[in-house]
Amino acid sequence: MGKKEDKERKRKKSAATLSQNIGDLFKKRPKIDRFRFYVSRRCFPAVRCYFARSVHAAFKLPVLLFDMDSLYVSSHPDDFRSLLTLIAAEFSPSRPRTLAEEPPAGVARCRPALLLGDGGDTALCGAGAVAWYLASAGRRTGSDAQQESEVWQWLSFAENELTPVACAVVFPLLGVMGVDKKLQHSSKAELLRVLKVLDQVLEPRTFLVGESLSLADMAVAMAALLPFKYALEPTDRKTLVNVSRWFDTCVNQPQFLKVLGKISLCEKMVPVTPKSSLTANAAAAASNTAPNSTPVSGPPKTETQLKKEAKKREKMEKFQQKKEMEEEKKKKQMQSQTEKKAKPEKKELGVITYNIPTPAGEKKDVLSSLPDSYSPQYVEAAWYPWWEKQGFFKPEYGRKSLSEPNPRGIFMMCIPPPNVTGSLHLGHALTNAIQDCLTRWHRMRGETTLWNPGCDHAGIATQVVVEKKLMRERGMSRHDLGRENFIQEVWTWKNEKGDRIYHQLKKLGSSLDWDRACFTMDPKLSYAVQEAFIRMHDEGVIYRSKRLVNWSCTLNSAISDIEVDKKELTGRTLLPVPGYKEKVEFGVLVSFSYKIEGSDEEVVVATTRIETMLGDTAVAVHPDDPRYQHLKGKVAVHPFCDRKLPVVFDDFVDMNFGTGAVKITPAHDHNDYEVGERHKLPFVNILDENGFLINVPPPFLGMKRFEARKAVLQALKDRGQFKEVKDNPMVVPVCSRSKDIVEPLLKPQWYVDCRDMGKQAADAVRSGELKIIPDHHLKTWFNWMDNIRDWCISRQLWWGHRIPAYFITVNDPSVKPGEDVDGHYWVSGRSEEEAREKAAKRFSVTADKISLRQDEDVLDTWFSSGIFPFSIFGWPNECEDLNVFYPGTLLETGHDILFFWVARMVMMGLKLTGKLPFKEVYLHAVVRDAHGRKMSKSLGNVIDPLDVITGISLEGLHAQLKDSNLDPVEIEKAKEGQKSDYPSGIPECGTDALRFALCAYTSQGRDINLDVNRILGYRHFCNKLWNAVKFAMRTLGESFVPWEKVQLCGSESVADRWILSRLCAAVALCGNGFQAYDFPAITTAIYNFWLYELCDVYLESVKPVFSRTDAEAQKQAEVCRQTLYTCLEVGLRLLSPIMPFVTEELFQRLPRRQPQDSPPSICVTSYPESSEFCWHSEEIDREMEFVMTVVRTIRSLRADYNLTKTRADCYLQCIDSATMSLVEKYSLQIQTLSYSQAIHPVIGGDGTIPVGCAVAIASDKCSVHLMLKGLIDLDKEVAKLTTKQGDLEKQMEKLEEKMKKSDYREKVPAKVQDLDAEKLRQSQTELQKVKEAIENFRRMM
């Protein structure tokens, strides 16, 4: 105890010294803001939150040096500062105790405050500092220096931008007095302006900093809390889509809910009943000053004060009554106007359905007018059955014979066959979106195109599903039924449920040739599997051996590596294991000793699986370890049997780990197996297939493996050979199917010798014959292929391809009986008769002396998947499909199965056909959720793409969890995850938006963090596309007839030439993108063309052309219509591979250039190519870029002076005649797009510009002068700017004073210095602009 007390005394002394140093450091510093840090009972001004960060680091947090901290907060439900600290505390691993009272006098003078330790003399005061301290302990202040800086900036935004205006709007509603008058007069419009800035920032993000919730979100959400509760009406929230979505996500986090409960959002902005005892902190928040130290209760009020307050209340009541009367009057007026007009209420965007009776496979009605707005349900109805019935997805479409050469080439790709048990998740959706885009693109290019569908029998998964169903419905196991009856039961289930995933693929718009759909257990594919095994077995490539395998005791089968989940543990953990009532302990290291024979010496070893010591056959040490050199030739004695354990010397031992001695269990550990092979050790198997102990002495014999774990530990303790047990980080292998703990087990199995095949596969990539894209996967490929191990293909199941191998028994005394592992006694055959003939020939006996027993096992599912690219075409039998479509063109899949599937297809293709199965492999990224987490049912983040397409409520998501195999605890955890990510469920996005989003996200990296809210953004893009085409079709008119050929007539205006140039650029970008598998480049090119070039610029700029009626204008309008038609028709074709439904719907409404020869569907229309669309002009692009710069400058000036609807004359001062000519050439476009009254190009000095203009620089060649005289109230504008000038000068003065301090450079962190310098530069620039504007206005007066 003495050492412990001394250590504690030193720690307290160190902490006190540190506190004193911090106090001295910040003495006499000027006030910077109201965050305060109190040390040693003295108050010192502080610098924002970065100081809290440095203090946090100084005190070595989150490893706390102090006893439990105390958090003093206000009990008022609307004190958002206290609420912020309470929420931050929820994220802290060591939550402080919370006290709704004033902190001790003399230590802290305001709330919230945090006393560190046991109520001693160290305290943090102010919401920002306290929240930073607590959030940092919970790792919520950013993952690196850059993110920390961003969090700090958002705290500043919440404090200085959002809080003052939020309080100014809300506090009068709450009846709070004493708020700063300037802030009281801030309008709700200013609040909305600030929130719109935030809305723009949040458009592409889920959270403000990084991919997870941080202190930035907590602070800004709490600053916005009162407006959301009392001021932001539903109409306001609709204009703040991203802010509302983000706020909803934040306040539905478990930590927020614990503090805030369920929040009711504002329905109408009206005064509310004041809450009791609003704290001084909350009131002070509005005035940007710290509250004084007077307690909240304060001294009794005088009679005069009470009278004043009564008068104020009376005035407020009258004001409220008057306001209510005005509101009622307005309502009545509105009702009266509505009754007079009798106009139907305009419907909001919502669900519109297609209700015209259309038989399946018949063409959808395209004669009726398009609905007012885009609705996925309307658009996606009826098209897919028509495409399928018309045969558009078949390679035979438009061709007389498949064997006839196609000059455009052949494109063939097979689908990665999904499991028959499975249902779609977003990983499938990504795979199919990419594959369908590529397939549709190749088909539109005129190639003979086949995308072949198929489904995998999924041995283990299917057997587990049917076994559970059998037990649930009939109380029977598969053994009760017998093998043949059970397999029939599986086929029944497959025929009833197995096509579900095909229907889901159709919903995604996948253009697969369904007539060629294959199932890996179909007769055609089963024959190919059998043939592949027999050929490889006869050649000696497949052989029999007894080795360690991954064994699932629950499934009674070996499983592949991909079916083993690696569960990481940080220390002692209790895990549920099937077949055990109590949880089992893992994550501990048990040390015990072995006695050395013939001496008192012992060797201490350690293990995480103490029960396996019953199978130990040696103790290993490093050859160079001096501690054990004397044990050469010695043996240890097993404590529970008469087995002698030799001490072996092996380089694999790490002499610096533990005692440097390792127990060796060759039959139950992969590393020990190799040691056993090297040193010829006995292999003692102590587990049977069900996990019961065998080959061990009593009392352990017959025990279950994890019950034996406890028994062995106790027995070692009883013998005095137990040493210690301690926490040990480890990885536990868990069967993904059964959730059982996987055991390494010695079993005789069938193996594929992969050495030569692996070398061939590696060489094919090295030579360039096979291309893997992106190339950063090459390292993984070569690492696997160059170090490949033999492949275990046996599975102890009933459902699957039964291995066509037979064990031979020769009924002849001259032939000795064989053993199971002896390959000489195994023969394979297409039938038992063929196998018997082979066996008789091998042993030189007659066939009647041969008895055969077929292996009970089935083949690994990956074996049938490995020959899928050629088994689907009837291999080994010759046929047209095999000759035309094998080898294929491309294999597209996720990088996570590069070895398990891709490598095996390459190896088996080369081995069995002598050809590579495809020329290219494109590996897409793995889909993760918005926070970067792996999709997992237990996290509640596995999303069915159909739910994204059709939409689903939060309750619907919860309901899906009930049908899963999760236990109740996992279900609740998953529900919390769903509630956090999808508080309002998932909105209907539609197939096209989902496909576009997935392609837009696809970068050639390893992971995609998919945010469902981003998908909704692309649904809005569909709506803009819809409205643009509707508007354009009205502009074209019903009598419009497009020219037969796409060509320039020579009469195009500059706007026409520009949009056609941009169209050609988009065509080139899309073509190059598809060639390079650069899907984000394709989506960006299409998005930019439709939204920013066609809609925002061209359609707006040509409106004046269509409004004129003179002959010349009509001629120009006709050229304009032809240009517009070309943009629509080509733009839709560019988009069609990615968004097949909406493009088909709109394309069918457009007139055709050659109606008699026109393809019936956009999906079989030619894809635009640069050879046809070759009008791209860099010169026109440069000119228009200059024009748009001018337009943006004019728009910016108009916004600065609030000229929302007023048109003003604009004078463009050009530096030379060339610029002036350019302005004159585009004057109509500039006038239209900038909403100007007139454009006046001028050249020369300022004398050519009339007085009364606002000025802005558009470029080094052009200045914009916007005439304001007579359009705005000059006195009012000057007054506003003068106030702003004063505020800026004060800010700069404070900042400069801070930066001039003698110790500023040494004491303030470099990051903060950079931020201060940047802030000063921005303020200087803004001040210069303000001064120029004031001077400009004064010249006008």
Side-chain angles (χ1 to χ4, degrees):
M1 288 297 291
K3 285 184 179 179
K4 188 174 180 183
E5 287 170 355
D6 186 52
K7 191 177 180 182
E8 178 68 13
R9 183 180 58 76
K10 287 180 180 178
R11 180 190 65 74
K12 285 186 175 179
K13 184 179 178 183
S14 174
T17 305
L18 181 60
S19 299
Q20 183 63 47
N21 290 342
I22 293 169
D24 295 338
L25 182 67
F26 282 91
K27 274 183 183 178
K28 301 177 184 177
R29 297 195 65 166
K31 175 181 168 185
I32 294 175
D33 63 14
R34 68 182 166 288
F35 291 140
R36 296 178 181 275
F37 186 80
Y38 294 85
V39 182
S40 305
R41 303 188 183 278
R42 289 174 292 180
C43 169
F44 302 102
V47 291
R48 294 195 184 275
C49 294
Y50 75 84
F51 184 61
R53 298 209 302 269
S54 62
V55 170
H56 189 74
F59 280 104
K60 302 294 182 189
L61 296 169
V63 181
L64 299 175
L65 293 177
F66 305 109
D67 296 333
M68 192 173 189
D69 302 335
S70 300
L71 177 61
Y72 292 86
V73 295
S74 164
S75 61
H76 196 286
D78 286 333
D79 186 347
F80 53 90
R81 293 189 174 287
S82 290
L83 294 174
L84 170 59
T85 59
L86 288 169
I87 290 166
E90 287 298 317
F91 286 94
S92 175
S94 303
R95 293 191 187 91
R97 62 170 173 263
T98 305
L99 304 166
E101 59 187 57
E102 290 295 325
V107 175
R109 299 188 298 171
C110 65
R111 292 180 289 180
L114 184 70
L115 266 67
L116 305 182
D118 54 0
D121 60 356
T122 308
L124 281 167
C125 192
V130 173
W132 187 286
Y133 178 94
L134 294 169
S136 181
R139 301 183 186 280
R140 295 284 171 169
T141 53
S143 60
D144 53 33
Q146 175 62 31
Q147 286 194 0
E148 276 197 9
S149 177
E150 290 176 22
V151 171
W152 183 87
Q153 290 177 56
W154 281 114
L155 285 173
S156 178
F157 170 83
E159 182 64 26
N160 300 318
E161 300 290 335
L162 185 51
T163 295
V165 71
C167 293
V169 172
V170 175
F171 277 13
L173 300 174
L174 300 176
V176 178
M177 298 298 139
V179 181
D180 187 280
K181 295 295 181 185
K182 285 183 182 177
L183 290 175
Q184 268 190 330
H185 290 120
S186 295
S187 65
K188 185 176 173 183
E190 179 63 13
L191 171 64
L192 291 172
R193 184 195 68 77
V194 174
L195 289 175
K196 278 175 182 172
V197 172
L198 182 62
D199 195 73
Q200 290 172 356
V201 173
L202 282 165
E203 186 175 1
R205 304 185 188 182
T206 303
F207 296 109
L208 290 171
V209 177
E211 296 296 335
S212 59
L213 188 135
S214 68
L215 179 58
D217 301 286
M218 301 178 216
V220 180
M222 287 303 94
L225 177 66
L226 298 187
F228 269 96
K229 286 176 71 173
Y230 302 118
L232 295 175
E233 298 174 345
T235 51
D236 300 320
R237 297 199 293 274
K238 279 185 182 176
T239 65
L240 301 166
V241 175
N242 299 307
V243 169
S244 299
R245 178 256 304 162
W246 161 83
F247 182 79
D248 207 14
T249 301
C250 289
V251 298
N252 279 284
Q253 300 289 323
Q255 296 84 355
F256 280 72
L257 286 169
K258 191 170 179 181
V259 174
L260 304 175
K262 199 71 180 172
I263 290 173
S264 298
L265 300 181
C266 173
E267 290 301 321
K268 188 177 180 183
M269 182 174 159
V270 292
V272 295
T273 305
K275 311 274 183 178
S276 59
S277 68
L278 184 65
T279 61
N281 281 10
S287 60
N288 232 10
T289 58
N292 58 36
S293 58
T294 307
V296 173
S297 56
K301 293 180 180 176
T302 64
E303 189 178 346
T304 308
Q305 286 175 324
L306 291 171
K307 280 182 181 179
K308 275 186 179 180
E309 287 186 7
K311 279 184 181 179
K312 283 181 181 178
R313 279 195 297 272
E314 189 180 345
K315 281 182 181 178
M316 180 59 74
E317 285 168 8
K318 285 180 180 178
F319 170 73
Q320 288 174 5
Q321 288 171 4
K322 186 178 178 183
K323 203 169 181 182
E324 284 170 8
M325 286 170 68
E326 286 175 355
E327 289 287 334
E328 192 64 33
K329 192 175 177 182
K330 281 181 185 176
K331 266 188 186 178
K332 286 178 180 177
Q333 286 175 351
M334 291 287 287
Q335 284 173 359
S336 174
Q337 287 173 4
T338 307
E339 285 164 12
K340 284 176 187 174
K341 293 176 183 175
K343 283 187 177 178
E345 201 175 307
K346 189 174 180 182
K347 288 186 179 179
E348 291 184 10
L349 285 179
V351 175
I352 303 169
T353 55
Y354 175 76
N355 298 319
I356 299 170
T358 305
E362 295 301 309
K363 188 173 181 179
K364 186 177 182 179
D365 172 65
V366 292
L367 298 176
S368 56
S369 59
L370 289 170
D372 289 342
S373 60
Y374 167 78
S375 172
Q377 287 192 32
Y378 179 93
V379 169
E380 292 167 20
W383 284 123
Y384 196 94
W386 178 66
W387 290 334
E388 199 177 349
K389 186 178 179 181
Q390 293 297 309
F392 297 147
F393 303 158
K394 298 185 70 60
E396 292 88 351
Y397 181 80
R399 304 197 62 76
K400 294 176 183 177
S401 167
L402 284 178
S403 301
E404 179 187 334
N406 181 352
R408 302 289 290 182
I410 295 173
F411 176 78
M412 186 274 154
M413 176 172 62
C414 62
I415 192 173
N419 287 351
V420 68
T421 57
S423 59
L424 286 180
H425 53 66
L426 283 173
H428 288 123
L430 174 65
T431 300
N432 284 276
I434 293 171
Q435 290 183 10
D436 192 44
C437 289
L438 288 167
T439 302
R440 287 176 179 272
W441 176 65
H442 283 283
R443 187 182 292 120
M444 291 176 74
R445 294 183 75 204
E447 299 170 38
T448 302
T449 302
L450 172 61
W451 184 22
N452 207 108
C455 204
D456 192 272
H457 65 278
I460 292 176
T462 307
Q463 181 161 312
V464 167
V465 167
V466 178
E467 281 193 271
K468 285 183 177 179
K469 179 176 180 287
L470 199 62
M471 183 58 69
R472 185 173 62 248
E473 294 177 359
R474 292 154 63 180
M476 299 175 72
S477 71
R478 64 183 163 108
H479 300 284
D480 296 330
L481 271 185
R483 184 165 188 151
E484 294 304 318
N485 289 335
F486 177 75
I487 290 172
Q488 190 55 49
E489 197 75 24
V490 180
W491 274 109
T492 302
W493 177 89
K494 187 266 174 190
N495 293 331
E496 288 175 2
K497 307 283 187 181
D499 290 340
R500 175 182 167 210
I501 203 159
Y502 284 170
H503 297 306
Q504 292 176 312
L505 289 171
K506 290 178 180 181
K507 186 71 179 170
L508 281 171
S510 305
S511 59
L512 293 146
D513 180 1
W514 293 107
D515 291 339
R516 284 181 166 85
C518 295
F519 179 51
T520 50
M521 289 288 285
D522 285 344
K524 178 174 73 173
L525 276 73
S526 295
Y527 180 76
V529 169
Q530 181 189 66
E531 186 68 22
F533 182 93
I534 293 168
R535 289 188 184 189
M536 293 170 77
H537 181 241
D538 287 348
E539 202 176 317
V541 176
I542 290 178
Y543 64 94
R544 187 84 169 166
S545 180
K546 188 175 183 179
R547 298 182 184 178
L548 281 181
V549 296
N550 297 318
W551 187 262
S552 168
C553 296
T554 301
L555 296 175
N556 285 151
S557 176
I559 58 176
S560 69
D561 289 343
I562 201 171
E563 289 156 335
V564 179
D565 293 335
K566 305 289 195 289
K567 190 173 185 68
E568 293 188 18
L569 306 181
T570 56
R572 183 178 182 272
T573 308
L574 296 177
L575 297 178
V577 179
Y580 292 82
K581 291 181 180 178
E582 295 181 358
K583 291 185 176 181
V584 179
E585 181 184 63
F586 294 90
V588 295
L589 190 68
V590 179
S591 296
F592 68 98
S593 65
Y594 277 124
K595 303 288 185 183
I596 299 298
E597 187 179 45
S599 73
D600 295 333
E601 194 173 357
E602 62 181 17
V603 177
V604 177
V605 294
T607 177
T608 58
R609 300 156 65 214
I610 189 64
E611 68 279 7
T612 62
M613 65 86 61
L614 295 169
D616 285 359
T617 58
V619 173
V621 296
H622 195 277
D624 299 331
D625 195 330
R627 292 171 293 180
Y628 300 110
Q629 295 300 315
H630 66 289
L631 295 182
K632 281 183 180 175
K634 298 291 182 72
V635 295
V637 180
H638 200 287
F640 304 128
C641 60
D642 58 1
R643 191 182 310 142
K644 301 295 194 305
L645 313 181
V647 178
V648 299
F649 290 74
D650 198 288
D651 290 334
F652 106 98
V653 178
D654 180 0
M655 69 173 92
N656 297 315
F657 180 78
T659 62
V662 180
K663 62 186 280 299
I664 302 298
T665 321
H668 294 284
D669 182 273
H670 292 284
N671 290 325
D672 294 1
Y673 177 89
E674 294 176 1
V675 175
E677 288 279 300
R678 284 196 292 271
H679 296 276
K680 305 288 189 270
L681 298 174
F683 285 68
V684 179
N685 179 24
I686 64 166
L687 287 178
D688 71 4
E689 294 177 348
N690 297 302
F692 290 91
L693 265 61
I694 56 174
N695 301 321
V696 297
F700 311 114
L701 187 64
M703 279 187 179
K704 294 168 77 172
R705 54 188 163 145
F706 295 126
E707 288 175 357
R709 177 170 289 187
K710 293 179 181 177
V712 170
L713 185 62
Q714 186 59 48
L716 285 169
K717 288 179 179 178
D718 294 343
R719 296 179 68 92
Q721 288 179 251
F722 166 78
K723 296 302 178 183
E724 68 170 350
V725 59
K726 60 182 180 181
D727 279 17
N728 180 62
M730 65 180 293
V731 175
V732 177
V734 179
C735 173
S736 63
R737 302 296 180 187
S738 65
K739 305 305 176 189
D740 196 1
I741 304 301
V742 174
E743 293 288 348
L745 198 64
L746 273 176
K747 299 290 289 183
Q749 307 276 278
W750 292 102
Y751 287 86
V752 177
D753 184 345
C754 295
R755 286 171 298 177
D756 291 341
M757 293 193 296
K759 184 179 183 304
Q760 281 185 299
D763 290 345
V765 175
R766 285 192 173 99
S767 67
E769 193 180 354
L770 176 64
K771 192 174 181 183
I772 295 177
I773 305 165
D775 58 10
H776 60 245
H777 293 293
L778 291 177
K779 184 178 178 182
T780 305
W781 176 267
F782 292 129
N783 185 46
W784 277 336
M785 294 298 99
D786 294 341
N787 301 286
I788 197 165
R789 294 186 176 190
D790 289 356
W791 170 21
C792 173
I793 56 173
S794 298
R795 296 292 178 268
Q796 289 65 45
L797 304 170
W798 286 357
W799 174 246
H801 298 102
R802 190 169 178 182
I803 294 175
Y806 301 82
F807 183 75
I808 305 166
T809 301
V810 183
N811 303 313
D812 188 320
S814 64
V815 180
K816 66 176 183 178
E819 293 184 3
D820 183 275
V821 292
D822 188 346
H824 189 63
Y825 285 84
W826 284 93
V827 66
S828 59
R830 294 162 188 82
S831 64
E832 192 169 328
E833 290 72 25
E834 182 185 333
R836 183 172 281 106
E837 288 176 15
K838 281 186 177 180
K841 186 177 179 181
R842 180 178 298 175
F843 288 97
S844 303
V845 296
T846 57
D848 60 308
K849 290 187 176 182
I850 297 293
S851 296
L852 298 176
R853 170 179 58 83
Q854 187 175 358
D855 194 338
E856 294 284 327
D857 294 350
V858 300
L859 287 164
D860 179 12
T861 303
W862 294 104
F863 189 88
S864 53
S865 298
I867 64 171
F868 192 75
F870 48 92
S871 66
I872 57 177
F873 298 127
W875 180 90
N877 301 317
E878 289 291 323
C879 61
E880 185 181 42
D881 274 10
L882 186 64
N883 292 328
V884 173
F885 294 118
Y886 187 82
T889 312
L890 173 71
L891 187 281
E892 194 284 334
T893 188
H895 69 75
D896 52 333
I897 55 173
L898 177 61
F899 176 71
F900 292 100
W901 189 42
V902 181
R904 286 163 179 171
M905 281 189 289
V906 173
M907 290 192 299
M908 296 182 79
L910 287 169
K911 185 68 184 173
L912 294 168
T913 71
K915 300 174 184 176
L916 285 167
F918 27 73
K919 301 177 185 71
E920 290 184 333
V921 177
Y922 172 66
L923 301 167
H924 65 246
V926 171
V927 180
R928 297 181 179 271
D929 70 5
H931 315 296
R933 301 174 303 180
K934 186 178 179 181
M935 295 290 187
S936 164
K937 287 180 181 177
S938 62
L939 291 174
N941 62 355
V942 174
I943 298 300
D944 184 339
L946 298 190
D947 291 337
V948 180
I949 291 169
T950 60
I952 189 172
S953 65
L954 180 61
E955 292 72 23
L957 289 170
H958 288 348
Q960 291 176 352
L961 295 172
K962 293 177 183 175
D963 299 328
S964 66
N965 294 323
L966 300 177
D967 63 41
V969 175
E970 287 180 316
I971 285 177
E972 289 307 310
K973 181 183 174 184
K975 280 185 177 180
E976 288 300 317
Q978 289 177 340
K979 195 185 296 182
S980 172
D981 284 347
Y982 315 109
S984 303
I986 298 173
E988 180 192 41
C989 297
T991 301
D992 287 325
L994 173 62
R995 290 167 59 111
F996 195 92
L998 290 167
C999 290
Y1001 262 104
T1002 306
S1003 57
Q1004 293 181 2
R1006 292 186 176 271
D1007 298 311
I1008 294 171
N1009 296 353
L1010 186 65
D1011 184 354
V1012 173
N1013 293 304
R1014 288 282 295 276
I1015 302 172
L1016 185 61
Y1018 291 117
R1019 185 210 157 137
H1020 298 323
F1021 169 62
C1022 289
N1023 196 55
K1024 289 174 182 176
L1025 183 77
W1026 186 270
N1027 292 334
V1029 173
K1030 280 193 70 178
F1031 167 79
M1033 287 170 64
R1034 285 197 303 272
T1035 303
L1036 294 177
E1038 292 183 8
S1039 59
F1040 173 77
V1041 178
W1043 294 335
E1044 285 195 4
K1045 288 185 178 179
V1046 183
Q1047 57 189 8
L1048 296 181
C1049 69
S1051 302
E1052 287 81 9
S1053 67
V1054 287
D1056 295 331
R1057 289 296 306 273
W1058 173 75
I1059 195 62
L1060 290 172
S1061 174
R1062 297 314 304 149
L1063 177 65
C1064 294
V1067 168
L1069 286 168
C1070 289
N1072 294 337
F1074 274 116
Q1075 293 281 6
Y1077 305 107
D1078 189 353
F1079 297 98
I1082 301 165
T1083 53
T1084 301
I1086 294 171
Y1087 190 88
N1088 288 348
F1089 173 74
W1090 274 99
L1091 213 59
Y1092 302 131
E1093 294 166 354
L1094 184 63
C1095 294
D1096 286 359
V1097 179
Y1098 183 72
L1099 289 181
E1100 291 299 321
S1101 66
V1102 298
K1103 282 179 181 178
V1105 177
F1106 295 116
S1107 63
R1108 289 165 52 193
T1109 56
D1110 57 281
E1112 183 61 31
Q1114 288 301 308
K1115 184 180 176 183
Q1116 185 60 47
E1118 176 57 24
V1119 175
C1120 212
R1121 287 189 181 92
Q1122 294 293 340
T1123 301
L1124 180 55
Y1125 174 82
T1126 298
C1127 290
L1128 296 180
E1129 196 258 356
V1130 177
L1132 289 173
R1133 283 193 279 148
L1134 285 175
L1135 184 56
S1136 178
I1138 300 175
M1139 287 185 162
F1141 290 103
V1142 70
T1143 51
E1144 186 74 85
E1145 186 74 40
L1146 296 173
F1147 181 80
Q1148 292 291 342
R1149 313 292 179 130
L1150 292 179
R1152 299 287 186 269
R1153 293 190 185 277
Q1154 297 175 336
Q1156 63 280 4
D1157 300 324
S1158 181
S1161 167
I1162 194 171
C1163 70
V1164 287
T1165 305
S1166 64
Y1167 197 80
E1169 295 188 3
S1170 293
S1171 57
E1172 182 182 8
F1173 297 93
C1174 52
W1175 317 309
H1176 181 225
S1177 168
E1178 290 185 4
E1179 182 185 353
I1180 291 175
D1181 286 354
R1182 279 196 303 272
E1183 289 178 356
M1184 197 63 182
E1185 182 55 40
F1186 167 77
V1187 167
M1188 291 310 298
T1189 303
V1190 172
V1191 168
R1192 285 190 288 269
T1193 307
I1194 299 171
R1195 287 175 175 174
S1196 177
L1197 273 177
R1198 290 175 56 80
D1200 287 345
Y1201 297 107
N1202 203 25
L1203 299 179
T1204 52
K1205 293 183 180 179
T1206 309
R1207 290 178 180 270
D1209 282 354
C1210 186
Y1211 295 85
L1212 300 181
Q1213 187 178 19
C1214 305
I1215 196 169
D1216 53 32
S1217 56
T1219 307
M1220 187 167 176
S1221 300
L1222 187 57
V1223 168
E1224 287 171 341
K1225 181 179 176 182
Y1226 287 93
S1227 60
L1228 178 61
Q1229 284 73 31
I1230 296 172
Q1231 180 183 340
T1232 305
L1233 295 171
S1234 66
Y1235 203 68
S1236 296
Q1237 181 66 31
I1239 298 296
H1240 305 282
V1242 294
I1243 192 168
D1246 291 343
T1248 57
I1249 309 298
V1251 176
C1253 291
V1255 187
I1257 307 299
S1259 76
D1260 58 342
K1261 296 183 178 181
C1262 182
S1263 299
V1264 173
H1265 299 257
L1266 191 67
M1267 177 55 71
L1268 300 178
K1269 199 169 185 178
L1271 299 179
I1272 60 173
D1273 186 335
L1274 296 175
D1275 291 329
K1276 186 177 176 182
E1277 294 299 325
V1278 168
K1280 276 167 60 178
L1281 287 170
T1282 303
T1283 303
K1284 190 170 184 179
Q1285 179 182 351
D1287 292 342
L1288 283 168
E1289 286 171 345
K1290 284 179 185 176
Q1291 286 177 22
M1292 289 169 61
E1293 186 182 341
K1294 284 183 179 179
L1295 200 54
E1296 286 170 343
E1297 189 178 344
K1298 168 189 171 183
M1299 294 169 73
K1300 285 176 183 174
K1301 290 290 178 184
S1302 57
D1303 57 352
Y1304 176 80
R1305 294 290 172 194
E1306 294 76 32
K1307 304 300 183 185
V1308 178
K1311 289 182 295 183
V1312 179
Q1313 291 185 35
D1314 292 341
L1315 287 168
D1316 287 344
E1318 180 59 29
K1319 190 174 180 182
L1320 184 61
R1321 279 194 295 272
Q1322 289 175 357
S1323 297
Q1324 287 168 342
T1325 304
E1326 195 174 351
L1327 181 62
Q1328 184 62 33
K1329 286 185 176 180
V1330 168
K1331 286 179 177 178
E1332 288 173 0
I1334 291 172
E1335 185 61 32
N1336 195 31
F1337 280 135
R1338 284 180 175 152
R1339 282 202 301 267
M1340 296 182 206
M1341 290 178 175

